[in-house]
Amino acid sequence: GAGVSQSPSNKVTEKGKDVELRCDPISGHTALYWYRQSLGQGLEFLIYFQGNSAPDKSGLPSDRFSAERTGGSVSTLTIQRTQQEDSAVYLCASSLASSNQPQHFGDGTRLSIL
Amino acid sequence: ILNVEQSPQSLHVQEGDSTNFTCSFPSSNFYALHWYRWETAKSPEALFVMTLNGDEKKKGRISATLNTKEGYSYLYIKGSQPEDSATYLCAFCDSWGKLQFGAGTQVVVTP
């Protein structure tokens, strides 16, 4: 079956522009996570959606970052007024449920801010 | 902020040798411990999800143990092969379902 799909795979944009990153999770997965990996760093948690519960936004680095998940499926991560430090690989993962189920990752979006 | 620490940061192994490395995590509010393998230019792939103290999991030549009381997990690779070269990530999962990843152990297996 289809895995987690992310688009675009690469995005180059100018500083100050807004970007939208998309994640299409595995069908039936109720939990969806966004992470990012900056150069030389580990995986940094950004936001977590679980079913219809309010998302855990505790990892979002600033109010320029937001995410939504429509209909419990597709999620969009939006970064407004991008800065150079936003350059990173943004990974999305989904799982059947939280905690004791493995996460399935997409291939990521490589975001470069000029 | 939780401290999930992995050591060593990197290691080089000769093909055929066995190796192991550590993940340490908080012993409070524990729900699960995840291990992932992350190969270059690919996405992280789940290896194990461990929930019980004393758990041992095995997948081929790779195995893992869990000690929740003292807050550590070991990952073992037996008879390392070049295809085992990757970064191995552990992640602490609390009861809310949120994962905190360690920085990873980068393993390089040389022929």
Side-chain angles (χ1 to χ4, degrees):
Chain A
V4 177
S5 177
Q6 289 188 248
S7 61
S9 54
N10 284 283
K11 177 73 176 179
V12 181
T13 192
E14 293 179 347
K15 177 182 170 181
K17 301 285 189 183
D18 296 353
V19 294
E20 282 191 354
L21 312 180
R22 176 188 167 105
C23 173
D24 203 340
I26 293 173
S27 178
H29 280 193
T30 58
L32 186 147
Y33 306 77
W34 282 99
Y35 302 93
R36 74 175 176 182
Q37 186 197 28
S38 303
L39 191 63
Q41 303 297 312
L43 273 179
E44 177 189 4
F45 166 80
L46 296 177
I47 188 169
Y48 159 42
F49 296 89
Q50 171 56 38
N52 295 321
S53 302
D56 179 345
K57 305 179 182 179
S58 60
L60 294 178
S62 78
D63 58 9
R64 296 186 295 104
F65 286 72
S66 63
E68 61 178 24
R69 187 178 185 192
T70 53
S73 181
V74 172
S75 177
T76 302
L77 178 69
T78 301
I79 309 172
Q80 295 179 308
R81 306 181 301 282
T82 51
Q83 303 294 312
Q84 287 189 330
E85 61 264 27
D86 300 334
S87 296
V89 175
Y90 289 80
L91 284 165
C92 174
S94 70
S95 68
L96 273 171
S98 59
S99 306
N100 63 351
Q101 297 294 323
Q103 295 189 6
H104 299 262
F105 285 82
D107 290 336
T109 293
R110 182 173 296 277
L111 177 64
S112 301
I113 310 299
L114 302 178
Chain B
I1 296 179
L2 302 173
N3 283 331
V4 180
E5 297 182 355
Q6 293 188 246
S7 64
Q9 187 175 13
S10 65
L11 60 89
H12 290 250
V13 188
Q14 281 292 119
E15 182 177 358
D17 287 351
S18 297
T19 189
N20 65 85
F21 37 94
T22 310
C23 171
S24 63
F25 52 87
S27 53
S28 61
N29 200 27
F30 174 87
Y31 198 88
L33 194 283
H34 293 222
W35 280 101
Y36 293 84
R37 176 168 60 198
W38 196 357
E39 296 180 63
T40 303
K42 294 186 178 181
S43 53
E45 172 195 359
L47 288 172
F48 307 114
V49 178
M50 309 174 78
T51 57
L52 298 175
N53 184 43
D55 244 358
E56 291 189 26
K57 299 273 189 180
K58 187 175 181 182
K59 185 176 183 179
R61 294 177 292 97
I62 300 176
S63 60
T65 60
L66 179 68
N67 184 323
T68 59
K69 293 182 180 179
E70 297 182 34
Y72 65 83
S73 175
Y74 289 116
L75 193 92
Y76 300 87
I77 305 176
K78 184 178 178 182
S80 305
Q81 299 296 310
E83 58 264 30
D84 297 328
S85 296
T87 296
Y88 291 81
L89 300 170
C90 71
F92 170 89
C93 185
D94 62 22
S95 56
W96 298 105
K98 182 170 137 184
L99 264 65
Q100 178 75 38
F101 280 85
T105 293
Q106 183 182 25
V107 174
V108 178
V109 181
T110 50

